[in-house]
Coordinates of all heavy atoms in Angstrom, one line a residue:
V247 N -4.3 22.9 -9.8 CA -3.4 23.0 -8.5 C -3.7 24.4 -7.9 O -3.8 24.6 -6.7 CB -1.9 22.8 -8.9 CG1 -1.1 23.2 -7.7 CG2 -1.7 21.4 -9.3
R248 N -3.8 25.4 -8.8 CA -4.0 26.8 -8.3 C -5.5 26.9 -7.8 O -5.7 27.5 -6.7 CB -3.7 27.8 -9.4 CG -4.0 29.3 -9.0 CD -3.3 29.6 -7.7 NE -3.6 31.0 -7.3 CZ -3.3 31.5 -6.0 NH1 -2.8 30.7 -5.1 NH2 -3.6 32.7 -5.7
R249 N -6.4 26.5 -8.6 CA -7.8 26.7 -8.3 C -8.2 26.0 -7.0 O -8.9 26.5 -6.1 CB -8.7 26.1 -9.4 CG -10.1 26.6 -9.4 CD -10.9 26.1 -10.6 NE -11.2 24.7 -10.4 CZ -11.5 23.9 -11.5 NH1 -11.4 24.3 -12.7 NH2 -11.8 22.6 -11.2
E250 N -7.7 24.7 -6.8 CA -8.1 24.0 -5.6 C -7.5 24.7 -4.4 O -8.1 24.8 -3.3 CB -7.5 22.5 -5.7 CG -8.4 21.7 -6.6 CD -9.8 21.5 -6.1 OE1 -10.0 20.9 -5.1 OE2 -10.7 22.1 -6.8
Y251 N -6.2 25.1 -4.5 CA -5.6 25.8 -3.4 C -6.4 27.1 -3.0 O -6.7 27.3 -1.8 CB -4.2 26.3 -3.8 CG -3.4 27.0 -2.6 CD1 -2.6 26.2 -1.8 CD2 -3.6 28.3 -2.5 CE1 -2.0 26.9 -0.7 CE2 -2.9 29.0 -1.4 CZ -2.1 28.2 -0.5 OH -1.5 28.9 0.5
A252 N -6.8 27.8 -4.0 CA -7.6 29.1 -3.7 C -8.9 28.7 -3.0 O -9.4 29.6 -2.3 CB -7.8 29.8 -5.0
E253 N -9.4 27.5 -3.2 CA -10.7 27.2 -2.6 C -10.5 26.4 -1.3 O -11.4 25.8 -0.7 CB -11.5 26.3 -3.6 CG -12.0 27.2 -4.7 CD -12.8 26.4 -5.8 OE1 -13.1 25.2 -5.5 OE2 -13.1 27.0 -6.8
G254 N -9.2 26.4 -0.8 CA -8.9 25.8 0.5 C -8.7 24.3 0.4 O -8.6 23.6 1.4
R255 N -8.6 23.7 -0.8 CA -8.4 22.3 -1.0 C -7.0 22.1 -1.7 O -6.2 23.0 -1.8 CB -9.5 21.7 -1.8 CG -10.9 21.8 -1.1 CD -11.9 21.1 -1.9 NE -12.0 21.6 -3.3 CZ -13.1 22.2 -3.8 NH1 -14.2 22.3 -3.1 NH2 -13.1 22.6 -5.1
G256 N -6.8 20.9 -2.2 CA -5.5 20.7 -2.9 C -5.6 19.5 -3.8 O -6.6 18.8 -3.9
V257 N -4.6 19.3 -4.7 CA -4.5 18.2 -5.6 C -3.4 17.3 -5.1 O -2.4 17.7 -4.6 CB -4.1 18.8 -7.0 CG1 -3.7 17.6 -8.0 CG2 -5.1 19.7 -7.6
P258 N -3.7 16.0 -5.1 CA -2.7 15.0 -4.5 C -1.4 15.1 -5.2 O -1.3 15.5 -6.4 CB -3.3 13.6 -4.8 CG -4.8 13.9 -5.0 CD -4.9 15.3 -5.5
V259 N -0.3 14.9 -4.5 CA 1.1 15.0 -5.1 C 1.9 13.7 -4.8 O 1.6 13.0 -3.8 CB 1.8 16.2 -4.4 CG1 1.3 17.5 -4.9 CG2 1.8 16.1 -2.9
L260 N 2.8 13.5 -5.7 CA 3.8 12.5 -5.4 C 5.0 13.2 -4.8 O 5.4 14.3 -5.2 CB 4.3 11.7 -6.6 CG 3.2 11.0 -7.4 CD1 3.9 10.1 -8.5 CD2 2.3 10.1 -6.5
V261 N 5.6 12.7 -3.7 CA 6.8 13.3 -3.1 C 7.9 12.3 -3.1 O 7.8 11.1 -2.7 CB 6.4 13.7 -1.6 CG1 7.6 14.5 -1.0 CG2 5.1 14.5 -1.5
C262 N 9.1 12.8 -3.6 CA 10.2 11.8 -3.8 C 11.5 12.5 -3.5 O 11.7 13.7 -3.7 CB 10.3 11.4 -5.3 SG 8.8 11.1 -6.1
V263 N 12.4 11.8 -2.9 CA 13.8 12.3 -2.7 C 14.8 11.4 -3.4 O 14.8 10.2 -3.2 CB 14.1 12.4 -1.2 CG1 15.6 12.7 -1.0 CG2 13.2 13.4 -0.5
E264 N 15.5 12.0 -4.4 CA 16.5 11.2 -5.1 C 17.9 11.3 -4.4 O 18.6 10.3 -4.3 CB 16.7 11.8 -6.5 CG 17.7 11.2 -7.4 CD 17.3 9.8 -8.0 OE1 16.1 9.5 -7.8 OE2 18.2 9.2 -8.6
K265 N 18.2 12.5 -3.9 CA 19.5 12.6 -3.1 C 19.2 13.4 -1.9 O 18.7 14.5 -1.9 CB 20.5 13.3 -4.0 CG 21.2 12.4 -5.0 CD 22.1 13.2 -5.9 CE 23.5 13.5 -5.2 NZ 24.3 14.5 -6.0
D266 N 19.6 12.9 -0.7 CA 19.5 13.6 0.5 C 20.9 13.8 1.1 O 21.4 13.1 1.8 CB 18.7 12.7 1.5 CG 18.5 13.4 2.9 OD1 18.9 14.6 3.0 OD2 18.0 12.8 3.8
E267 N 21.4 15.0 0.6 CA 22.8 15.3 1.0 C 22.8 16.0 2.3 O 23.9 16.1 3.0 CB 23.4 16.2 -0.1 CG 23.5 15.5 -1.5 CD 24.6 14.6 -1.6 OE1 25.8 15.0 -1.7 OE2 24.4 13.3 -1.6
T268 N 21.8 16.7 2.7 CA 21.8 17.5 3.9 C 21.2 16.8 5.1 O 21.4 17.2 6.3 CB 20.9 18.8 3.7 OG1 19.5 18.4 3.5 CG2 21.4 19.6 2.6
G269 N 20.5 15.7 4.9 CA 19.8 15.0 5.9 C 18.4 15.5 6.2 O 17.6 15.0 6.9
F270 N 18.0 16.7 5.5 CA 16.7 17.3 5.7 C 15.9 17.3 4.4 O 14.8 17.9 4.4 CB 16.9 18.8 6.1 CG 17.7 18.9 7.4 CD1 19.0 19.3 7.5 CD2 17.0 18.5 8.6 CE1 19.7 19.4 8.7 CE2 17.7 18.6 9.8 CZ 19.0 19.1 9.9
A271 N 16.3 16.6 3.4 CA 15.6 16.6 2.1 C 14.2 16.2 2.2 O 13.3 16.8 1.6 CB 16.4 15.8 1.1
W272 N 13.9 15.2 3.0 CA 12.5 14.7 3.0 C 11.6 15.7 3.7 O 10.5 16.0 3.2 CB 12.4 13.3 3.7 CG 11.0 12.8 3.9 CD1 10.3 12.7 5.0 CD2 10.2 12.4 2.8 NE1 9.1 12.2 4.8 CE2 8.9 12.0 3.4 CE3 10.3 12.3 1.4 CZ2 7.8 11.6 2.7 CZ3 9.2 11.8 0.7 CH2 8.0 11.5 1.3

Side-chain angles (χ1 to χ4, degrees):
V247 173
R248 178 55 183 163
R249 197 178 74 205
E250 286 297 291
Y251 181 92
E253 290 178 9
R255 301 184 301 242
V257 171
V259 288
L260 303 189
V261 187
C262 321
V263 170
E264 177 78 5
K265 281 177 78 191
D266 181 8
E267 299 279 286
T268 62
F270 299 106
W272 178 249

